[in-house]
Amino acid sequence: MLIGVPKEIKNNENRVGLTPGGVQMLVNRGHKVMVETKAGQGIGATDDQYIKAGAKMIDSAKEVWDKAEMIIKVKEPIQPEYALMKPGLILYTYLHLAAEPELTKQLVERKVSAVAYETIQLDDGTLPLLTPMSEVAGRMATQVGAHYLQKNEGGKGILLSGVPGVRRGKVTIIGGGVSGTSAAVIAIGMGAQVTILDVNMHRLGYLDDIFKNSINTLYSNPVNIEKAVKEADLVIGTVLIAGAKAPKLVTREMVRQMEPNSVIVDVSIDQGGCIETIKPTSHSDPIFREENVIHYGVTNMPGAVAQTSTYALTNRTLKYAMLLADHGIKSFGMDKALYKGVNVYNGKVAYKQVADDLGVPYEGVKV
């Protein structure tokens, strides 16, 4: 198969779809890989390293898209890339289509076979390709929140660790999954008072076991969320329903009750966000104020730590990239986890939750 790796063009997106090591593994299996010139610059991977791995370097993004049978990316295509998509193309990347109606329309109309990293799901319910970026984004969320709590950044002037004789900062984490747990690891390490809310009692028990007395766990209901949000210096939203829009669990009224200059970081912004007042932002313009609270809604947080993120991501994506390259669309019927990753196929939305959220027809994959 002829595989294309274009340079990411989303604002400050420095990750790349394949590392040189990933290219070499595909080439060793007999596939051809085209990489756009300087695509790996953001992770410190040179064109020479890609050439040594067996890739052909291409100066034009259009040529990469035109020639490739499969495109491997990190982030969803944005408007300038829509016209580059063609019928029969396999697109393998993060998509988050429940929050992207126009992209979904383009994929359907152009009959692209779109495989979403975030909905590839194992039998035990885990999302192996979402996990590494959830870990990165969760860890970053606390780090970013601590930064914007500084007075010089417009925050309350709170140090999460406190000092002897002065209270520690309070961090409320909505959602106890991979991102929430990762956010808690950093918040605890910083010395903050941490509260995690989730509806899964088994998960709350697990978090109690691993963190012992370092955190408070609360069942996630409107009363508990309101109280925990109101008392927090930093609120981190990490709620995820695979392939679906995130539910708005933190209302505007709850945000209004927070102290002025508190901070909100919504990791689930890719799926629309779980906080009513959040909206998508970018690394070049990351924050805004709403109800006198600082909001951070960057949709590609891990892009800021591109080297860590890309290597962590390729470690997980390569398994399915090889399956797709070896067998094309036939691979959809060969692996149950990969089957769940197919979001658009044959001009139809093939992931039910996306179809339901967008109000469009659903048709399962028939290979």
Side-chain angles (χ1 to χ4, degrees):
M1 182 175 281
L2 185 52
I3 299 161
V5 182
K7 183 174 173 60
E8 298 291 328
I9 62 171
K10 190 165 185 169
N11 182 286
N12 280 284
E13 182 49 74
N14 294 299
R15 290 172 290 180
V16 62
L18 280 175
T19 62
V23 168
Q24 187 163 7
M25 290 185 72
L26 286 163
V27 170
N28 288 347
R29 295 172 80 90
H31 303 292
K32 296 179 181 178
V33 182
M34 301 178 296
V35 178
E36 186 180 349
T37 302
K38 296 183 179 179
Q41 192 173 39
I43 66 165
T46 66
D47 290 352
D48 285 345
Q49 287 175 303
Y50 280 106
I51 291 169
K52 188 176 179 181
K56 181 179 180 182
M57 304 309 294
I58 305 291
D59 290 334
S60 160
K62 185 177 186 302
E63 186 177 349
V64 173
W65 284 86
D66 282 349
K67 291 183 175 179
E69 297 168 272
M70 176 166 69
I71 290 286
I72 298 178
K73 289 179 87 286
V74 178
K75 290 302 291 178
E76 73 284 350
I78 60 177
Q79 198 277 328
E81 295 170 309
Y82 291 170
L84 302 176
M85 299 189 295
K86 63 191 179 188
L89 177 72
I90 297 173
L91 176 63
Y92 181 49
T93 188
Y94 285 119
L95 287 170
H96 301 289
L97 293 182
E100 293 284 351
E102 181 56 32
L103 173 58
T104 306
K105 179 173 177 282
Q106 293 289 332
L107 292 168
V108 166
E109 289 180 353
R110 297 174 188 276
K111 294 192 174 180
V112 173
S113 294
V115 181
Y117 293 164
E118 72 275 7
T119 63
I120 291 176
Q121 190 169 21
L122 301 177
D123 287 342
D124 64 2
T126 57
L127 304 164
L129 275 57
L130 190 61
T131 296
M133 294 306 94
S134 296
E135 290 169 342
V136 170
R139 284 164 165 78
M140 283 188 67
T142 305
Q143 180 177 302
V144 164
H147 174 75
Y148 284 109
L149 278 170
Q150 294 175 189
K151 195 65 180 176
N152 61 302
E153 296 294 338
K156 296 168 71 171
I158 292 284
L159 182 66
L160 287 183
S161 64
V163 293
V166 181
R167 77 167 180 89
R168 295 178 290 152
K170 294 182 179 180
V171 178
T172 290
I173 300 170
I174 315 293
V178 175
S179 286
T181 303
S182 297
V185 167
I186 303 303
I188 293 164
M190 286 183 166
Q193 293 184 57
V194 180
T195 298
I196 303 179
L197 297 99
D198 203 288
V199 293
N200 185 328
M201 289 302 300
H202 178 75
R203 184 67 182 180
L204 290 178
Y206 168 77
L207 294 172
D208 264 337
D209 285 343
I210 63 169
F211 290 129
K212 306 301 181 185
N213 295 324
S214 300
I215 64 167
N216 297 312
T217 56
L218 286 175
Y219 183 78
S220 182
N221 61 39
V223 172
N224 286 341
I225 293 173
E226 180 175 15
K227 186 174 188 297
V229 167
K230 180 181 178 180
E231 294 176 352
D233 301 302
L234 169 61
V235 172
I236 299 174
T238 70
V239 176
L240 172 74
I241 300 173
K245 284 184 180 178
K248 301 295 186 187
L249 299 182
V250 177
T251 66
R252 177 175 292 274
E253 180 56 35
M254 292 176 190
V255 174
R256 193 175 290 139
Q257 294 178 56
M258 295 177 71
E259 288 187 3
N261 304 321
S262 298
V263 176
I264 287 173
V265 178
D266 198 337
V267 177
S268 58
I269 186 64
D270 265 336
Q271 295 289 120
C274 64
I275 292 158
E276 186 179 6
T277 48
I278 199 69
K279 64 183 180 183
T281 63
S282 66
H283 284 295
S284 61
D285 189 16
I287 63 168
F288 63 94
R289 282 185 178 271
E290 192 75 20
E291 303 295 350
N292 208 15
V293 171
I294 297 170
H295 289 60
Y296 179 98
V298 174
T299 55
N300 59 328
M301 289 177 67
V305 287
Q307 191 170 117
T308 299
S309 299
T310 297
Y311 283 92
L313 183 59
T314 300
N315 289 344
R316 301 297 187 96
T317 59
L318 197 56
K319 171 185 174 180
Y320 298 102
M322 291 190 291
L323 188 60
L324 286 161
D326 288 349
H327 303 286
I329 60 172
K330 290 181 180 178
S331 62
F332 299 166
M334 298 170 67
D335 187 285
K336 288 191 291 183
L338 180 61
Y339 179 90
K340 291 181 180 179
V342 183
N343 278 214
V344 177
Y345 177 70
N346 198 29
K348 300 285 185 181
V349 174
Y351 195 84
K352 191 172 189 310
Q353 192 65 60
V354 169
D356 290 348
D357 280 350
L358 296 179
V360 298
Y362 159 76
E363 185 176 298
V365 179
K366 298 180 181 67
V367 182

